[in-house]
Coordinates of all heavy atoms in Angstrom, one line a residue:
F1 N 84.2 -110.4 28.8 CA 85.5 -109.7 28.9 C 85.7 -109.3 30.3 O 86.9 -109.3 30.8 CB 85.5 -108.5 27.9 CG 85.6 -108.9 26.5 CD1 84.8 -108.4 25.5 CD2 86.6 -109.9 26.0 CE1 84.9 -108.7 24.2 CE2 86.7 -110.2 24.7 CZ 85.8 -109.6 23.8
E2 N 84.7 -108.8 31.0 CA 84.9 -108.4 32.4 C 85.3 -109.6 33.3 O 86.3 -109.5 34.1 CB 83.5 -107.9 33.0 CG 83.2 -106.5 32.5 CD 81.9 -106.0 33.1 OE1 81.1 -106.8 33.6 OE2 81.6 -104.8 32.9
D3 N 84.7 -110.8 33.1 CA 85.0 -112.0 33.8 C 86.5 -112.4 33.5 O 87.3 -112.7 34.4 CB 84.1 -113.1 33.5 CG 82.7 -112.9 34.1 OD1 82.5 -112.0 34.9 OD2 81.8 -113.6 33.6
F4 N 86.8 -112.3 32.2 CA 88.2 -112.6 31.8 C 89.2 -111.7 32.5 O 90.2 -112.2 33.1 CB 88.3 -112.5 30.3 CG 89.7 -112.4 29.8 CD1 90.5 -113.6 29.8 CD2 90.2 -111.3 29.3 CE1 91.8 -113.5 29.3 CE2 91.5 -111.2 28.8 CZ 92.3 -112.3 28.8
L5 N 89.0 -110.4 32.5 CA 89.9 -109.5 33.1 C 90.0 -109.7 34.6 O 91.0 -109.6 35.2 CB 89.6 -108.1 32.7 CG 89.8 -107.7 31.3 CD1 89.2 -106.3 31.0 CD2 91.3 -107.7 30.9
D6 N 88.8 -109.9 35.2 CA 88.7 -110.0 36.7 C 89.4 -111.3 37.2 O 90.0 -111.3 38.3 CB 87.2 -110.1 37.1 CG 87.1 -109.8 38.5 OD1 87.8 -108.9 39.1 OD2 86.2 -110.4 39.1
E7 N 89.5 -112.3 36.4 CA 90.2 -113.6 36.8 C 91.7 -113.5 36.7 O 92.4 -114.4 37.2 CB 89.6 -114.7 36.0 CG 88.2 -115.0 36.2 CD 87.6 -116.0 35.2 OE1 88.3 -116.5 34.3 OE2 86.4 -116.3 35.4
L8 N 92.2 -112.5 36.0 CA 93.6 -112.5 35.7 C 94.3 -111.8 37.0 O 93.8 -110.9 37.6 CB 94.0 -111.6 34.5 CG 93.5 -112.1 33.2 CD1 93.8 -111.1 32.1 CD2 94.3 -113.4 32.9
P9 N 95.6 -112.3 37.2 CA 96.4 -111.6 38.2 C 96.7 -110.2 37.7 O 96.8 -110.0 36.5 CB 97.6 -112.5 38.4 CG 97.6 -113.4 37.2 CD 96.2 -113.4 36.7
P10 N 96.9 -109.2 38.6 CA 97.2 -107.8 38.2 C 98.3 -107.7 37.2 O 98.2 -106.9 36.3 CB 97.5 -107.1 39.5 CG 96.8 -107.9 40.6 CD 96.8 -109.4 40.1
E11 N 99.4 -108.5 37.4 CA 100.5 -108.4 36.4 C 100.2 -108.9 35.0 O 100.9 -108.5 34.1 CB 101.7 -109.2 37.0 CG 101.5 -110.7 37.2 CD 100.9 -111.0 38.5 OE1 100.6 -110.2 39.3 OE2 100.8 -112.2 38.8
A12 N 99.1 -109.7 34.8 CA 98.7 -110.1 33.5 C 97.7 -109.3 32.9 O 97.4 -109.4 31.7 CB 98.2 -111.6 33.6
Q13 N 97.1 -108.4 33.7 CA 96.0 -107.5 33.2 C 96.5 -106.5 32.1 O 95.7 -106.3 31.1 CB 95.3 -106.8 34.3 CG 94.3 -107.7 35.1 CD 93.6 -106.9 36.1 OE1 93.9 -105.8 36.5 NE2 92.5 -107.5 36.6
N14 N 97.6 -106.0 32.2 CA 98.1 -105.0 31.2 C 98.2 -105.6 29.8 O 97.8 -105.0 28.9 CB 99.4 -104.4 31.7 CG 99.3 -103.4 32.8 OD1 98.2 -102.8 32.9 ND2 100.3 -103.2 33.5
E15 N 98.8 -106.8 29.8 CA 98.9 -107.4 28.5 C 97.6 -107.8 27.9 O 97.3 -107.6 26.7 CB 99.8 -108.7 28.6 CG 100.0 -109.4 27.3 CD 100.9 -110.6 27.4 OE1 101.6 -110.8 28.4 OE2 100.8 -111.5 26.5
A16 N 96.7 -108.3 28.7 CA 95.3 -108.6 28.3 C 94.6 -107.4 27.9 O 93.8 -107.4 26.9 CB 94.6 -109.3 29.4
L17 N 94.8 -106.3 28.6 CA 94.2 -105.0 28.3 C 94.6 -104.5 26.9 O 93.7 -104.1 26.1 CB 94.5 -104.0 29.4 CG 93.7 -102.7 29.4 CD1 92.2 -103.0 29.5 CD2 94.2 -101.8 30.5
Q18 N 95.8 -104.7 26.6 CA 96.3 -104.3 25.3 C 95.7 -105.1 24.2 O 95.3 -104.7 23.1 CB 97.8 -104.3 25.2 CG 98.4 -103.7 23.8 CD 97.9 -102.3 23.6 OE1 98.0 -101.5 24.4 NE2 97.3 -102.1 22.4
G19 N 95.6 -106.4 24.4 CA 94.9 -107.3 23.5 C 93.5 -106.9 23.2 O 93.0 -107.0 22.1
L20 N 92.8 -106.6 24.3 CA 91.4 -106.2 24.2 C 91.3 -104.8 23.5 O 90.4 -104.6 22.7 CB 90.7 -106.1 25.6 CG 89.2 -105.9 25.6 CD1 88.5 -106.9 24.7 CD2 88.7 -106.1 27.1
R21 N 92.2 -103.9 23.7 CA 92.2 -102.6 23.0 C 92.4 -102.9 21.5 O 91.8 -102.2 20.6 CB 93.3 -101.7 23.5 CG 93.0 -101.1 24.8 CD 94.1 -100.1 25.1 NE 93.8 -99.4 26.4 CZ 94.6 -99.5 27.4 NH1 95.8 -100.1 27.4 NH2 94.2 -98.8 28.6
D22 N 93.2 -103.8 21.1 CA 93.4 -104.2 19.7 C 92.1 -104.7 19.1 O 91.8 -104.4 18.0 CB 94.5 -105.3 19.6 CG 95.9 -104.7 19.9 OD1 96.1 -103.5 20.0 OD2 96.8 -105.6 20.1
V23 N 91.4 -105.5 19.9 CA 90.1 -106.0 19.4 C 89.1 -104.9 19.2 O 88.4 -104.8 18.2 CB 89.5 -107.0 20.4 CG1 88.0 -107.3 20.1 CG2 90.3 -108.3 20.4
V24 N 89.1 -103.9 20.1 CA 88.2 -102.8 20.0 C 88.6 -102.0 18.7 O 87.7 -101.6 18.0 CB 88.3 -101.9 21.3 CG1 87.6 -100.5 21.1 CG2 87.7 -102.6 22.5
A25 N 89.9 -101.7 18.5 CA 90.2 -101.0 17.3 C 89.8 -101.7 16.0 O 89.3 -101.1 15.1 CB 91.8 -100.7 17.4
L26 N 90.1 -103.0 16.0 CA 89.7 -103.8 14.8 C 88.2 -103.8 14.6 O 87.7 -103.6 13.5 CB 90.2 -105.2 14.9 CG 91.7 -105.4 14.8 CD1 92.1 -106.8 15.1 CD2 92.1 -105.1 13.3
G27 N 87.4 -103.9 15.7 CA 86.0 -104.0 15.6 C 85.4 -102.7 15.1 O 84.4 -102.7 14.3
G28 N 86.0 -101.6 15.5 CA 85.6 -100.3 15.0 C 85.7 -100.1 13.5 O 85.0 -99.4 12.8
L29 N 86.7 -100.8 12.9 CA 87.0 -100.7 11.5 C 85.8 -101.4 10.7 O 85.6 -101.0 9.5 CB 88.3 -101.3 11.1 CG 89.5 -100.7 11.7 CD1 90.8 -101.5 11.4 CD2 89.7 -99.3 11.2
G30 N 85.1 -102.3 11.3 CA 84.1 -103.1 10.6 C 82.9 -102.3 10.1 O 82.3 -102.6 9.1
R31 N 82.6 -101.2 10.8 CA 81.4 -100.5 10.4 C 81.7 -99.1 9.9 O 80.9 -98.2 9.8 CB 80.5 -100.3 11.6 CG 79.9 -101.6 12.1 CD 78.8 -102.1 11.2 NE 78.2 -103.3 11.7 CZ 78.0 -104.3 10.9 NH1 78.2 -104.3 9.6 NH2 77.5 -105.4 11.4
G32 N 83.0 -99.0 9.4 CA 83.3 -97.7 8.8 C 83.5 -96.6 9.8 O 83.4 -95.4 9.4
S33 N 83.7 -96.9 11.0 CA 83.8 -95.8 12.0 C 85.2 -95.2 11.9 O 86.1 -95.7 11.2 CB 83.6 -96.4 13.4 OG 84.6 -97.3 13.7
T34 N 85.4 -94.1 12.5 CA 86.6 -93.4 12.5 C 87.4 -93.7 13.7 O 86.9 -93.8 14.8 CB 86.3 -91.9 12.4 OG1 85.5 -91.7 11.3 CG2 87.6 -91.1 12.3
S35 N 88.7 -94.0 13.6 CA 89.5 -94.2 14.7 C 90.9 -93.6 14.6 O 91.3 -93.2 13.5 CB 89.7 -95.7 14.9 OG 90.4 -96.3 13.8
A36 N 91.5 -93.3 15.8 CA 92.8 -92.7 15.8 C 93.7 -93.3 16.8 O 93.2 -93.8 17.8 CB 92.7 -91.2 16.1
G37 N 95.0 -93.3 16.6 CA 95.9 -93.9 17.6 C 96.1 -93.0 18.7 O 95.4 -91.9 18.9
Q38 N 97.1 -93.3 19.5 CA 97.5 -92.4 20.6 C 97.8 -91.1 20.1 O 98.4 -90.9 19.1 CB 98.7 -93.0 21.4 CG 98.3 -94.2 22.3 CD 99.5 -94.6 23.1 OE1 100.6 -94.7 22.6 NE2 99.2 -94.9 24.3
Q39 N 97.5 -90.0 20.8 CA 97.8 -88.6 20.5 C 97.0 -88.2 19.2 O 97.4 -87.2 18.6 CB 99.2 -88.4 20.4 CG 100.1 -88.8 21.6 CD 99.7 -88.0 22.8 OE1 99.4 -86.8 22.8 NE2 99.6 -88.7 23.9
G40 N 96.0 -89.0 18.8 CA 95.3 -88.7 17.5 C 94.0 -88.1 17.8 O 93.4 -88.1 18.9
L41 N 93.4 -87.6 16.8 CA 92.0 -87.0 16.8 C 91.2 -87.7 15.7 O 91.7 -87.6 14.5 CB 92.0 -85.5 16.7 CG 90.7 -84.8 16.5 CD1 89.8 -85.0 17.8 CD2 90.8 -83.4 16.1
A42 N 90.2 -88.3 16.0 CA 89.3 -89.0 15.0 C 88.1 -88.2 14.8 O 87.4 -87.8 15.8 CB 89.0 -90.4 15.4
V43 N 87.7 -87.9 13.6 CA 86.5 -87.2 13.3 C 85.7 -87.9 12.2 O 86.3 -88.2 11.2 CB 86.9 -85.7 12.8 CG1 85.6 -84.9 12.4 CG2 87.7 -85.0 13.8
G44 N 84.5 -88.2 12.5 CA 83.6 -88.9 11.6 C 82.8 -88.0 10.7 O 82.1 -88.4 9.9
G45 N 82.9 -86.7 10.9 CA 82.1 -85.7 10.1 C 83.1 -84.6 9.7 O 84.2 -84.8 9.3
D46 N 82.5 -83.3 9.8 CA 83.3 -82.2 9.4 C 84.3 -81.8 10.5 O 83.9 -81.8 11.7 CB 82.4 -81.0 9.1 CG 81.5 -81.3 7.9 OD1 82.0 -82.1 7.0 OD2 80.5 -80.6 7.7
L47 N 85.4 -81.3 10.2 CA 86.4 -80.7 11.1 C 86.8 -79.4 10.6 O 87.2 -79.3 9.4 CB 87.6 -81.6 11.3 CG 88.8 -81.1 12.1 CD1 88.4 -80.9 13.5 CD2 90.0 -82.0 12.0

């Protein structure tokens, strides 16, 4: 992923970054982790 981002021109990095963020969010769902969107708070235990 570092090599991929590094090879992109700066104007293409934002779109690629959003795609990678989507992958991160999806991957987190796989192990039952807690996630929150922008302006959110995720808690995996007591709050």
Side-chain angles (χ1 to χ4, degrees):
F1 290 131
E2 284 178 349
D3 290 345
F4 164 72
L5 292 170
D6 197 37
E7 292 170 1
L8 293 175
E11 60 274 6
Q13 282 184 346
N14 284 337
E15 185 179 340
L17 192 58
Q18 187 54 52
L20 190 50
R21 283 188 180 121
D22 292 345
V23 167
V24 170
L26 286 170
L29 296 174
R31 293 286 180 224
S33 65
T34 303
S35 63
Q38 285 185 317
Q39 305 298 319
L41 171 66
V43 179
D46 295 338
L47 171 67

